[in-house]
Amino acid sequence: MAVYAVDIHGEVAQEDIFRIARLMNRAFDAGKVRMLLRFRPYEGQTAGSLFDHDALKAEFRSLSHVEKYAVVGLPGYLASFIGLMNHMIPVDAATFDADEEEKAWAFVRATPLANRASTPNGGSSADF
């Protein structure tokens, strides 16, 4: 099973959401996946970035195509929200503090690769 890891530095820009959504929709076409998101640090996202058609499609499809979802380095209030949602959605989701990254990789049953791609705007980068 494929594992997709996304590294987010700072603010998530609309371009980043579009890029990740397109990638994940293609991945979902092939079947189930595991995901790991690393926030280094998370500084929010641009307004309206979640209302793109591809982003909404990926969010909806993730409910049936993501087996495990690990999130590293979110602020406490957002980590708590993911913990709450874990009881309401059919995805095995877990959050980890920044110093628990190894545990997050173990949770999705993978090991990290070297950086392969980054966004041109410098707002965030994605490791695929």
Side-chain angles (χ1 to χ4, degrees):
M1 181 174 304
V3 174
Y4 288 81
V6 178
D7 230 3
I8 298 172
H9 298 268
E11 183 177 65
V12 181
Q14 190 167 5
E15 177 184 318
D16 301 326
I17 294 292
F18 297 162
R19 183 175 176 213
I20 294 166
R22 286 190 300 270
L23 171 76
M24 294 316 303
N25 278 316
R26 285 192 307 270
F28 297 155
D29 288 342
K32 288 197 171 225
V33 301
R34 296 183 193 118
M35 292 183 69
L36 186 144
L37 272 65
R38 294 184 294 192
F39 292 90
R40 302 173 181 248
Y42 178 70
E43 295 175 2
Q45 62 195 49
T46 57
S49 61
L50 296 180
F51 298 108
D52 170 69
H53 175 266
D54 287 330
L56 292 171
K57 181 178 174 183
E59 288 175 31
F60 181 74
R61 292 180 77 196
S62 70
L63 296 175
S64 61
H65 288 82
V66 175
E67 178 190 66
K68 289 187 171 284
Y69 179 70
V71 183
V72 179
L74 272 181
Y77 69 96
L78 290 173
S80 295
F81 178 73
I82 289 174
L84 174 66
M85 292 303 296
N86 191 38
H87 300 291
M88 298 180 203
I89 60 174
V91 175
D92 188 7
T95 61
F96 301 87
D97 291 335
D99 62 351
E100 299 178 309
E101 186 175 322
E102 285 184 30
K103 290 180 183 178
W105 282 105
F107 178 76
V108 296
R109 294 184 231 143
T111 56
L113 299 174
N115 291 343
R116 294 184 179 187
S118 61
T119 57
N121 67 12
S124 66
S125 67
D127 297 334
F128 308 114

